[in-house]
Amino acid sequence: MPNLFRVVAVLACVLSSIPQVQASDEDIIFKPLASGPPKLMVLIPGGKVPNVNYTNTALAIQKATEMSLWIVVPAVFERLCIIQCSGKGACLVLHQAVEGAIAKAVKAGFPLVDKSRDVFIGGHSLGGTCGNYLMQGYPGVYAGLVIMGSYVDSKGPGSLVNYTAPVILIGAELDGGLAKPVNMALWWMQFEEVLVSKGRDTAIRNKSVVILPSIDHSDFCPGYAVPGDLPSELDSATALNTYIGPTVAAFLHLHSGMPTSVQQKAIAKLTNAIAQTRTLMTPIVRAFDLEVDGGIGIIEGGASSPWCITAQHRIGGLSATDDANLFIKNKYTNSSTGEGGFEHTRVGYKVSGSQLLLNTSGHNAYERDVEDTATTNAAKEIGCKLVSSGRIEQQLNVTAVTKGVTCGDVNKYAVEKMKDLLQSQVPKTLQRYETKGRGFCWKPDFSPPGDIGPLFIAETLELKENATCLSVASLTISTTISSKIFPGVHYCKLLSPAKVMDWIYTVSMKTPETTSNSYLLSSETTHKGINVH
Ligand SMILES: *[C@@H]1O[C@H](CO)[C@@H](O)[C@H](O)[C@H]1NC(C)=O
Ligand SMILES: *[C@@H]1O[C@H](CO)[C@@H](O)[C@H](O)[C@H]1NC(C)=O
Ligand SMILES: *[C@@H]1O[C@H](CO)[C@@H](O)[C@H](O)[C@H]1NC(C)=O
Ligand SMILES: *[C@@H]1O[C@H](CO)[C@@H](O)[C@H](O)[C@H]1NC(C)=O
Ligand SMILES: *[C@@H]1O[C@H](CO)[C@@H](O)[C@H](O)[C@H]1NC(C)=O
Ligand SMILES: *[C@@H]1O[C@H](CO)[C@@H](O)[C@H](O)[C@H]1NC(C)=O
Ligand SMILES: *[C@@H]1O[C@H](CO)[C@@H](O)[C@H](O)[C@H]1NC(C)=O
């Protein structure tokens, strides 16, 4: 999780309201099951998860390794490692706890030679966040990082691309929380970038991102059902022994001086898992590419919004022949207000021969708050300033074949298009959604009072979820060509294709009690929901 100050702040309130509860966990040491090079992994538990719930996880990892692997699952204060490690520069107490755990393993017989080669840090969920901070706070101290159901920084020196230590991110297809596929896509794209820039060996050994199919966030801590999670589609033993254990083991085998044959098997294992991950992630990456050109807008802006261009074609409502005469440019603005911001952009049009050139503009709003936290990396809304169908008819001397296309129609089209993409790439995901997920409810477009421009900027796409559906209503300004203000425009606040994917892949299948606020980050959901795990 990029930043957990919010969580920490919330937790601080929780803690001060509860008399000091002593969690009864003690460090658990798992002695190795096999011979081979002696290595140790310190596995930091997720938020509120009793550390005994990593017993079967530790055993599954050990069973899958061909080395003398020790595992310690430390007890963390109040079962919230984040209290001991709230950032990369504030991890002293957790560091001491981890060092204490290593010392216990040594006392029990682990033959430590060099921590930077022999000791790996692992973490699940919030424990993964703490592991990330620990690795960055103590660079070069440990051999590598195994993160389950969590992630490293989204950008900067602690991003996957720039991580100095070897790391593997292991996600779950049915993660009901922040490490869901739509969010993991951010690191998946970084993996693909490393693959291109640094090559296969570096990418697979040092930066793997693997989403394990059919499992949920709680499969990493069997017995403990993480609140707000989705149901797993596998029994715990299969999840652990077929997927989680062998994936972690493959990473460890690549950093433990194992014989070439063992390393080749590990590379093959990860290559296969990565191919499956690519299949699962490709539709999500495509959806992100539609929001803004070149990747994820929540991290950085772009030059244009492909979705606004699609929307302009739909809003035009022309026959295919006439539509071929539309040449649409879109200028993406990184800011909503202020100089050069979305509020100051205007549409433009110009006939050139038989063609009509249209200038449109776009700006996406994201959920990320000032503390850098978001429940989804998909855009909250896609703002587009488009030219009205009436203006296009007038300029091209044609009549639209589909009259009165609304912003809401474009939203419906987003869902149809995403479903088509899923049907062709990951039909199982679509089937699961159609069987178990809540659908969409479409409400009519609404306009700001008096069609006032500034209010178009200030107001937002309406998204509300309940037990039946996610209801969607677009904010619009739609004027005739004789209008006194903004004649011949069609402005829309649209549903993001990546948000549609987010809904289809996981959020639609959550039970309403745990989701009433999934799109409205409130401190209540932050501590009641999955964010602390
Ligand atoms: C990685 O580091 C370089 C150099 O500091 C920086 O330009 C780049 O943006 C970083 N990558 C990410 C994904 O943050
Ligand atoms: C993986 O990372 C380690 C530690 O930074 C480095 O020594 C090693 O060369 C890297 N391996 C590859 C194949 O890039
Ligand atoms: C995991 O935690 C749950 C709930 O705290 C507990 O009931 C269960 O026995 C634990 N399972 C294991 C394997 O320790
Ligand atoms: C928006 O952000 C992108 C990526 O950071 C940058 O390339 C582009 O120049 C920015 N556009 C404007 C108008 O600032
Ligand atoms: C479209 O925008 C470009 C600048 O991006 C400008 O040069 C051109 O004149 C505009 N055309 C119309 C028809 O508004
Ligand atoms: C549409 O008709 C007007 C007036 O008859 C003409 O000036 C204009 O060039 C026509 N536009 C196109 C695209 O043919
Ligand atoms: C959910 O919202 C939709 C649209 O607003 C409405 O039709 C439906 O009845 C609501 N369902 C429940 C359970 O409240």
Side-chain angles (χ1 to χ4, degrees), residues 154-157 159-162 190 193:
S154 58
K155 58 184 175 182
S159 64
L160 186 68
V161 170
N162 289 328
Q190 291 190 21
E193 188 185 324

Side-chain angles (χ1 to χ4, degrees), residues 58 104 122 134 174 200 228 234-235 238 246 289 353 387 395 403 452:
K104 278 190 193 168
L134 179 68
L174 300 174
R200 212 177 95 92
L234 297 180
D235 61 88
T238 307
D289 285 343
V387 177
Q395 293 296 307
K403 294 272 190 189
I452 310 285

Side-chain angles (χ1 to χ4, degrees), residues 286-298:
R286 292 254 192 96
F288 275 115
D289 285 343
L290 292 173
E291 279 192 348
V292 63
D293 65 346
I296 296 190
I298 194 169

Side-chain angles (χ1 to χ4, degrees), residues 7 17-18 33 72 93 108 118 125 215 240 312 339 399 415-416 431 444 501:
V7 174
S17 64
I18 299 174
L33 303 175
V72 182
V93 181
D118 299 335
S125 200
I215 71 164
L240 289 172
Q312 179 68 81
E339 203 187 332
T399 304
V415 173
E416 289 318 308
Q431 266 166 30
M501 290 302 197

Side-chain angles (χ1 to χ4, degrees), residues 30-35 58-65 67-69:
F30 298 88
K31 292 191 176 181
L33 303 175
S35 56
L59 293 175
I61 295 167
Q62 286 184 321
K63 262 198 273 174
T65 58
M67 55 203 210
S68 173
L69 179 68

Side-chain angles (χ1 to χ4, degrees), residues 325 351-356 393-398:
N325 285 325
V351 171
S352 168
S354 62
Q355 297 173 347
L356 179 59
E393 288 179 315
Q394 177 211 35
Q395 293 296 307
L396 280 177
N397 304 320
V398 298

Side-chain angles (χ1 to χ4, degrees), residues 145-372:
L145 177 64
V146 175
I147 286 199
M148 295 174 265
S150 187
Y151 30 77
V152 293
D153 297 358
S154 58
K155 58 184 175 182
S159 64
L160 186 68
V161 170
N162 289 328
Y163 225 74
T164 50
V167 56
I168 184 170
L169 305 188
I170 306 173
E173 183 182 9
L174 300 174
D175 193 309
L178 294 178
K180 57 192 171 180
V182 165
N183 286 356
M184 295 301 286
L186 205 153
W187 290 274
W188 169 253
M189 288 183 191
Q190 291 190 21
F191 168 80
E192 294 273 40
E193 188 185 324
V194 173
L195 199 60
V196 171
S197 64
K198 302 258 169 61
R200 212 177 95 92
D201 206 40
T202 299
I204 292 178
R205 283 177 190 269
N206 283 354
K207 315 269 182 193
S208 274
V209 176
V210 167
I211 308 298
L212 300 176
S214 308
I215 71 164
D216 69 0
H217 191 78
S218 309
D219 275 320
F220 295 106
C221 51
Y224 183 85
V226 176
D229 205 5
L230 290 174
S232 177
E233 291 175 350
L234 297 180
D235 61 88
S236 175
T238 307
L240 289 172
N241 298 321
T242 308
Y243 292 105
I244 298 169
T247 308
V248 175
F251 173 80
L252 296 176
H253 285 167
L254 292 174
H255 297 283
S256 303
M258 297 296 281
T260 313
S261 61
V262 175
Q263 294 200 36
Q264 277 170 347
K265 262 198 293 182
I267 292 271
K269 173 90 203 157
L270 292 180
T271 301
N272 185 20
I274 283 162
Q276 283 188 24
T277 302
R278 182 173 291 112
T279 304
L280 190 73
M281 288 307 213
T282 298
I284 297 174
V285 173
R286 292 254 192 96
F288 275 115
D289 285 343
L290 292 173
E291 279 192 348
V292 63
D293 65 346
I296 296 190
I298 194 169
I299 299 298
E300 57 178 18
S304 74
S305 162
W307 195 245
C308 289
I309 294 177
T310 298
Q312 179 68 81
H313 283 288
R314 311 287 308 176
I315 293 288
L318 302 184
S319 68
T321 319
D322 292 339
D323 187 69
N325 285 325
L326 284 186
F327 284 77
I328 304 165
K329 281 209 228 159
N330 182 268
K331 182 178 160 52
Y332 185 85
T333 56
N334 293 343
S335 63
S336 172
T337 55
E339 203 187 332
F342 189 44
E343 68 171 333
H344 299 299
T345 62
R346 296 289 177 265
V347 300
Y349 56 91
K350 190 173 161 226
V351 171
S352 168
S354 62
Q355 297 173 347
L356 179 59
L357 312 178
L358 299 179
N359 275 352
T360 65
S361 59
H363 170 74
N364 300 347
Y366 290 91
E367 229 186 48
R368 178 176 281 182
D369 58 20
V370 287
E371 284 136 355
D372 208 16

